[in-house]
Amino acid sequence: MPPFQPPTGPLLTDHLRHWAARRPNQRAFTYVDFPDTSSVGLHHTLGWRALDTRARTMAGRLATVARPGERAALLLPQGIDYTAAFLGCLYAGVIAVPMFSPDLPGHEGRLAAVLEDCEPVCALSDAATAPRISAFTEAQGLPRLPVLRVDEPDDRSVPTVVSAIRPAPDDIAYLQYTSGSTRNPAGVMISHANVVANARQAIAAFGADSASSTTVGWLPLFHDMGLVLSVAAPVVGGLPSVLMDPVAFLEDPVRWLRLLGAYPGTISAAPNFAYDYCVARASEEQIAELRLDRVGVLINGSEPVRSTTIERFERAFAPAGLSPGAHCPAYGLAEATVFVTTDTYERAPTTVTCDPPALADGRIELREPGGEPVTRLISCGTPAGQELRIADPSGGAVLGPDRVGEILLRGPNIGLGYWKRAGLSAETFGTGAGQDGGGWLRTGDLGALHDGRLLVTGRLKDLIVVDGRNHYPQDIEESVQSAVDAVRRDRLAAFCVPRADGTADELVVVAEHRRNAEPSASETRAAERAARAAVSAGHGLRLGRLVLVPPGSVPRTTSGKVARAASRARFVDGGFGGEGDARSGTGSGTESGAGSRTESATGEGGGR
């Protein structure tokens, strides 16, 4: 095999052409299908030349219905067809809008909002999904969308090369719609140069090369991490990419673990809950059959990354050969294409134990564990080929080490702004004029630099402020789920709502109870007592209510994050069985009775 020589072209399609010419028959993309519960997986593979041909063919067909700069919505399932459709858009100069099939449960409203916002001239789909698109747009009152099927046989009359079309590096390649955890989704304009830059940053950060690395992914390709790690980085670096469907992972997470051990130097990513899910579902017999010594990097980029999850996962899968250094906590967001910082893959993740009162005052002060409560933060490492600073959210002054403020970013991977939202773009992108040339992205996330490494403390818009002190909802949620066995891990939301008498706010936690274990009235009261004691001891706050709801009730985004703003709105509207109407008289939000507030989660800026 020729030595690794990454191409230098500015476009993703330049890299695709490079690998198609140099390694035409080498495995490029593999989709592993699990048609039934007993299947060990059916592998469907395309080499680099075959993938390039399919992408060019798709580009030729697109050119018959869409002009450069118009939008095409990708409405089809996970797989090689999705990859070919995306790359075909880039070849044609058509702006891709990665989305999902209309039958994805619970996200019909989001899909309709995105289609209305981006105004696509066509949809790219497959034979099974195409009929559902017409029914969906009609039901939602949206214009009819012409559908191009990616899985149709090649039409020899359509040219496979669009030689007259070559986008500029700063042209928009695709719209990455944010997952909507703090507000309605907005389309981040990612340029051709942005995605190539971020792919290169990821390749460098994780030490990937085509001779010894393979990406393995189940994250949706309409999600920023899934698209960059499983499509863009492999195309830029010539890395083999192995895909599986997210549903196949949820049905049996051991499928993913087996794939991780089936290839050399595997690089993969998953949110925090997925690692806990693997621990819960994998039996000792299954673990004994795994070969995780081949795993190179496991990225954990969720909000937050929990040290207890990392410890449980490492302990459970150490017998399968998993290296402690494989787990890489990371930080990223759609506005920066995706990757921002990552911890080193050569050593075990670093946990920083902090003093909770100091953290509430915006300072990182170390405290030895044991005795008094501590807050454990995971280091998310150093920036990957970009600049990062911490600033005062209100005034913009740059803060020094161990001071908590808003995370600001600058680099070649920062998106162009939000689609059709000039005001929001001006507030979020390109701030700090006159400060080192400006051009800083306001992420809306809070963090601090400790020993030169990023500690992410929470979301600015989720922040709970009590008596001038900051409390992070994820820390309160961790206290509750650690104290109450009936609560499902990472399926709960903490927020404040006004009391009916208007004297103060109260702290509320809405939590899903475990499956097939609906608590009785007495068990619910006991759970609330345990949660209230834990929140009081750990945070000096009084928990007004613990609302236990059935599994699947707490709103989540398409990327699996808890949507706290949506949870709060549903509670206020009585959407959790009328609980919101019954909140009066439940007590103050603090031990002293002072008022509290939750920073508005409906405002704009930096959202996902």
Side-chain angles (χ1 to χ4, degrees):
M1 179 182 295
F4 176 66
Q5 295 179 6
T8 57
L11 307 180
L12 208 58
T13 47
D14 292 337
H15 296 73
L16 179 57
R17 278 195 299 269
H18 173 90
W19 299 118
R22 287 182 59 85
R23 302 178 181 177
N25 300 316
Q26 180 179 311
R27 175 172 56 89
F29 281 77
T30 299
Y31 177 68
V32 185
D33 186 24
F34 297 90
D36 56 63
T37 56
S38 61
S39 174
V40 295
L42 302 177
H43 290 59
H44 308 273
T45 298
L46 276 185
W48 287 109
R49 181 166 56 193
L51 176 63
D52 185 55
T53 299
R54 289 196 62 184
R56 289 170 180 262
T57 300
M58 194 69 245
R61 296 176 59 203
L62 266 170
T64 66
V65 298
R67 296 189 298 270
E70 293 185 319
R71 277 75 57 208
L74 276 61
L75 308 181
L76 68 165
Q78 190 101 331
I80 294 176
D81 285 343
Y82 203 110
T83 303
F86 176 74
L87 294 171
C89 288
L90 303 193
Y91 259 132
V94 173
I95 299 173
V97 184
M99 291 301 292
F100 43 83
S101 172
D103 56 358
L104 183 67
H107 297 286
E108 299 85 354
R110 179 173 187 263
L111 178 57
V114 168
L115 293 178
E116 184 176 13
D117 185 65
C118 73
E119 301 177 292
V121 298
C122 65
L124 306 184
S125 193
D126 60 9
T129 309
R132 302 170 192 161
I133 296 173
S134 298
F136 178 82
T137 53
E138 182 178 356
Q140 297 290 332
L142 296 169
R144 180 182 174 276
L145 269 181
V147 178
L148 298 182
R149 279 180 44 197
V150 186
D151 58 345
E152 280 186 335
D154 291 348
D155 184 350
R156 300 298 181 183
S157 67
V158 176
T160 60
V161 179
V162 190
S163 58
I165 298 172
R166 179 173 175 80
D170 290 335
D171 285 348
I172 303 170
Y174 62 99
L175 300 180
Q176 181 65 64
Y177 275 84
T178 62
S179 58
S181 60
T182 61
R183 55 175 168 81
N184 291 330
V188 182
M189 298 181 289
I190 302 297
S191 73
H192 293 267
N194 289 153
V195 66
V196 170
N198 205 224
R200 287 183 172 277
Q201 290 164 343
I203 290 168
F206 300 121
D209 72 77
S210 60
S212 59
S213 303
T214 300
T215 67
V216 174
W218 59 265
L219 292 178
L221 295 182
F222 59 80
H223 183 255
D224 49 10
M225 179 74 82
L227 187 63
V228 172
L229 187 65
S230 290
V231 177
V235 169
V236 168
L239 313 174
S241 176
V242 178
L243 298 167
M244 62 181 286
D245 193 276
V247 174
F249 169 80
L250 294 174
E251 288 175 345
D252 183 4
V254 178
R255 293 167 169 170
W256 175 55
L257 298 173
R258 291 193 184 108
L259 288 177
L260 290 176
Y263 301 91
T266 47
I267 300 173
S268 193
N272 198 83
F273 86 85
Y275 295 103
D276 277 324
Y277 189 53
C278 289
V279 173
R281 290 289 303 274
S283 67
E284 291 184 5
E285 292 78 11
Q286 290 172 320
I287 293 173
E289 297 173 353
L290 296 174
R291 185 182 172 184
L292 299 184
D293 58 307
R294 308 182 83 186
V295 175
V297 176
L298 290 177
I299 303 163
N300 187 335
S302 62
E303 301 170 354
V305 178
R306 298 193 186 279
S307 59
T308 51
T309 296
I310 294 175
E311 292 163 2
R312 279 191 294 269
F313 189 84
E314 290 178 352
R315 188 164 53 247
F317 296 103
L322 181 70
S323 167
H327 213 120
C328 286
Y331 167 71
L333 68 166
E335 287 81 352
T337 308
V338 65
F339 286 104
V340 174
T341 71
T342 180
D343 203 11
T344 177
Y345 58 91
E346 297 173 340
R347 68 180 185 188
T350 302
T351 300
V352 179
T353 54
C354 303
D355 177 65
L359 187 61
D361 286 335
R363 306 186 315 277
I364 300 295
E365 292 186 3
L366 303 187
R367 175 187 284 183
E368 292 296 325
E372 294 293 320
V374 297
T375 297
R376 304 174 76 193
L377 298 177
I378 287 287
S379 168
C380 290
T382 56
Q386 53 204 284
E387 299 175 80
L388 183 152
R389 64 171 38 159
I390 305 297
D392 182 343
S394 58
V398 178
L399 302 177
D402 294 327
R403 293 289 306 278
V404 176
E406 185 175 7
I407 301 169
L408 304 185
L409 303 171
R410 186 169 65 178
N413 55 302
I414 304 302
L416 304 178
Y418 296 113
W419 177 255
K420 298 197 303 188
R421 300 194 184 191
L424 179 58
S425 297
E427 295 171 8
T428 307
F429 294 82
T431 60
Q435 300 178 19
D436 300 335
W440 293 90
L441 169 72
R442 295 192 63 177
T443 66
D445 292 322
L446 294 170
L449 288 172
H450 175 73
D451 289 340
R453 299 179 176 272
L454 179 66
L455 303 177
V456 180
T457 59
R459 301 296 308 283
L460 182 60
K461 297 182 183 304
D462 287 338
L463 196 63
I464 296 172
V465 183
V466 182
D467 291 339
R469 296 162 71 93
N470 297 335
H471 297 271
Y472 299 98
Q474 70 270 16
D475 294 338
I476 296 170
E477 293 156 6
E478 174 65 19
S479 295
V480 171
Q481 66 186 11
S482 297
V484 183
D485 290 337
V487 170
R488 297 182 71 201
R489 290 200 64 83
D490 296 325
R491 296 296 194 277
L492 65 170
F495 49 82
C496 280
V497 296
R499 292 186 61 190
D501 59 13
T503 58
D505 287 1
E506 66 174 359
L507 177 63
V508 174
V509 173
V510 176
E512 296 179 8
H513 61 70
R514 295 188 183 276
R515 295 189 183 278
N516 305 317
E518 184 170 356
S520 64
S522 62
E523 290 170 336
T524 298
R525 289 192 294 271
E528 189 167 56
R529 286 195 297 270
R532 187 169 286 139
V535 172
S536 176
H539 309 279
L541 299 173
R542 186 183 191 281
L543 176 63
R545 290 187 68 88
L546 173 66
V547 181
L548 296 179
V549 297
S553 299
V554 174
R556 301 179 72 79
T557 69
T558 53
S559 58
K561 302 172 188 173
V562 171
R564 296 188 183 93
S567 299
R568 182 182 184 276
R570 183 174 297 182
F571 177 84
V572 170
D573 292 340
F576 294 112
E579 294 292 346
D581 297 328
R583 68 179 182 271
S584 60
T586 57
S588 165
T590 71
E591 286 296 296
S592 63
S596 67
R597 62 187 175 92
T598 303
E599 293 293 329
S600 170
T602 58
E604 297 180 330
R608 284 165 226 8

